[in-house]
Amino acid sequence: MATLKDLTPEAHRLLSEQTLELASWAFGNAGTRFKVYSTAGTPRDPFEKIDDAAQVNAFTGITPRISLHIPWDETEDYGALREYAEERGIQLSNINSNVFQDDDYKFGSLTNSDPHIRRKAIDAHKHCIDIMRKTGSDTLKIWLGDGTNYPGQDSIRRRQDNLHESLAEIYAELDEDQKLLLEYKFFEPAFYHTDVPDWGTSLGQVQALGDRAVVCLDTGHHAPGTNIEFIVVQLLRAGRLGAFDFNSRFYADDDLMVGAADPYQLFRILNEIIDADALDTPVSGVNFMLDQCHNLEEKIPGEIRSALNVQEMTAKVLLMDRAALTAAQEAHDVLGANQIVWDAFFTDVQPLLAELREEKGLDPDPLGAFRRSGYLEKIAADRVGGVQASWGA
Ligand code: PSV
Ligand code: MN
């Protein structure tokens, strides 16, 4: 069992200042291709999503930013949306482009062999950059559904060239203080090949653009058994780890609550982050986001639970005696080194986190406090009529 006094002053500071970004779509309804269930109180517009994100931040104290998805969060007055968010202590952060839900993109967007479709997809990104100027966002996040379903369907090589040309035009449109974040995913919706399937492709593409292009690592976007922390190290060494989309998976891109399937994996990822001094987002530039869907569970408590999972694993890693670990590694003490990692993972940090929350003026039990607040009952009663936001709407 650990308490705050077990942390070094620097570890205490890092834990206290840790932040996570939330995704607006996590507050909408989501499901599978079989069914999207609705939940009472689901937001109908980006303003209500911000209200819900502000609740997560109010109870956890560590989620002050939100990612928007365009056109899902399209609104007439982005200045008003920004003001609304800031009044609630939330910063509008990444703008996520969407070029995967229009019939024109059936055979690809930025990679399409048809120059007219590529133009449309590039212009959609330019529109996102315009929005970024209004929201004060510094990051354009791109994930593409591009790929093919059958060998021979299209030229993989030509598509890579098209991708580079399209990204270069988008990158050139960004302001000096804005960056491009390219996310990879090994399959889905394409089933034979995906145009940005892995970190190597994403890294190659962003390196060809310039210093302000970086890679986004979504923890659900790898084949089973992939050593994700190894990829984290590679991207950090290359200075190109821009962000995480945290979530958890048992099978495919399940988008479950981070840590749900394998908390030890989350711990191991954070271990590499902390070993490389990359936890402090303003200094390292690595943005930590939750990219999840709450198909069955209530969305706000689901986001609170997830933020707490990340915080809990972070505290465990920060407790680790790194000097002792390095000494054991250098002595080739295999069992000793592994024991240090193992012990840290199994340390009970609940008392430490309760103290930390009290120090910040928060309830030590964020989930319980949120439930007692009556917010879920209130939104279920208030948000009647309108169209509930859903994944893809
Ligand atoms: C794609 O699976 C992804 O992870 C990307 O980040 C998208 O923008 C997001 O999910 C939308 O749900
Ligand atoms: Mn993602």
Side-chain angles (χ1 to χ4, degrees):
M1 195 185 83
T3 60
L4 271 186
K5 67 171 175 23
D6 296 312
L7 289 176
T8 64
E10 177 60 1
H12 186 162
R13 180 190 73 79
L14 285 170
L15 191 62
S16 190
E17 294 176 7
Q18 179 181 31
T19 59
L20 299 173
E21 179 157 334
L22 304 179
S24 68
W25 54 98
F27 298 98
N29 290 320
T32 65
R33 62 194 160 117
F34 299 101
K35 171 75 181 160
V36 171
Y37 295 103
S38 58
T39 302
T42 295
R44 281 90 41 97
D45 58 43
F47 292 86
E48 291 181 348
K49 291 178 189 172
I50 286 167
D51 285 334
D52 292 1
Q55 287 295 308
V56 179
N57 192 39
F59 288 92
T60 63
I62 63 167
T63 61
R65 299 184 298 282
I66 193 166
S67 244
L68 301 180
H69 219 299
I70 302 300
W72 298 346
D73 295 315
E74 194 81 76
T75 187
E76 300 220 320
D77 186 348
Y78 286 97
L81 189 69
R82 180 180 182 170
E83 216 171 283
Y84 188 86
E86 283 170 359
E87 278 163 16
R88 284 154 186 77
I90 298 292
Q91 183 200 337
L92 302 184
S93 188
N94 292 357
I95 297 294
N96 295 250
S97 62
N98 181 331
V99 285
F100 50 87
Q101 286 187 313
D102 184 317
D103 280 346
D104 280 347
Y105 301 133
K106 185 172 179 180
F107 300 113
S109 60
L110 297 181
T111 64
N112 201 305
S113 56
D114 181 340
H116 298 104
I117 306 288
R118 290 208 301 279
R119 169 64 32 220
K120 174 171 168 168
I122 292 167
D123 288 348
H125 286 87
K126 289 186 178 173
H127 174 60
C128 287
I129 296 170
D130 275 344
I131 293 173
M132 289 165 68
R133 294 183 181 122
K134 295 177 190 149
T135 52
S137 309
D138 69 359
T139 304
L140 173 65
K141 177 158 160 263
I142 305 178
W143 171 74
L144 304 171
D146 293 29
T148 62
N149 274 3
Y150 297 99
Q153 181 190 319
D154 200 356
S155 159
I156 293 176
R157 186 187 170 122
R158 253 198 323 269
R159 291 172 74 98
Q160 283 297 306
D161 294 341
N162 289 341
L163 177 62
H164 169 68
E165 270 179 36
S166 302
L167 288 175
E169 186 175 339
I170 294 165
Y171 185 75
E173 184 77 13
L174 290 167
D175 297 336
E176 283 298 309
D177 57 352
Q178 295 177 333
K179 53 187 176 180
L180 185 154
L181 187 58
L182 184 62
E183 181 173 355
Y184 61 89
K185 174 169 169 174
F186 79 124
F187 90 116
E188 194 193 43
F191 294 122
Y192 166 58
H193 104 277
T194 292
D195 289 302
V196 190
D198 51 27
W199 68 273
T201 309
S202 183
L203 181 64
Q205 287 284 349
V206 299
Q207 280 175 332
L209 296 176
D211 290 346
R212 288 178 292 106
V214 282
V215 178
C216 175
L217 187 160
D218 184 312
T219 49
H221 290 186
H222 307 85
T226 301
N227 182 335
I228 295 177
E229 57 272 26
F230 183 83
I231 298 172
V232 171
V233 172
Q234 294 300 330
L235 292 173
L236 284 169
R237 288 191 79 242
R240 298 284 178 158
L241 180 61
F244 279 95
D245 274 8
F246 277 138
N247 51 52
S248 184
R249 52 161 303 164
F250 285 98
Y251 301 104
D253 185 20
D254 303 347
D255 281 339
L256 297 173
M257 293 186 294
V258 59
D262 186 354
Y264 190 36
Q265 180 187 66
L266 177 58
F267 170 93
R268 297 192 311 264
I269 290 171
L270 288 163
N271 183 35
E272 296 305 336
I273 288 289
I274 288 165
D275 190 43
D277 287 330
L279 186 67
D280 199 349
T281 299
V283 178
S284 68
V286 182
N287 188 11
F288 301 86
M289 195 187 87
L290 302 178
D291 178 10
Q292 306 180 153
C293 292
H294 303 290
N295 301 355
L296 305 178
E297 66 278 14
E298 290 279 1
K299 301 154 207 334
I300 301 171
E303 291 284 288
I304 294 177
R305 168 83 273 151
S306 307
L308 301 185
N309 289 355
V310 177
Q311 191 182 37
E312 184 172 343
M313 292 305 139
T314 307
K316 288 169 188 269
V317 175
L318 286 170
L319 277 170
M320 204 191 296
D321 185 343
R322 285 205 171 264
L325 181 62
T326 305
Q329 288 169 345
E330 284 172 1
H332 301 300
D333 179 359
V334 176
L335 288 180
N338 182 241
Q339 188 75 49
I340 290 169
V341 172
W342 193 246
D343 288 347
F345 177 65
F346 282 105
T347 304
D348 177 5
V349 294
Q350 292 308 332
L352 181 159
L353 291 172
E355 272 184 84
L356 183 82
R357 289 179 191 126
E358 272 163 355
E359 198 177 72
K360 291 172 140 194
L362 297 166
D363 194 295
D365 171 19
L367 264 177
F370 172 72
R371 290 223 173 274
R372 289 190 295 276
S373 75
Y375 185 82
L376 284 182
E377 294 73 13
K378 185 176 175 322
I379 56 173
D382 291 351
R383 293 178 185 170
V384 176
V387 180
Q388 292 196 325
S390 270
W391 194 95

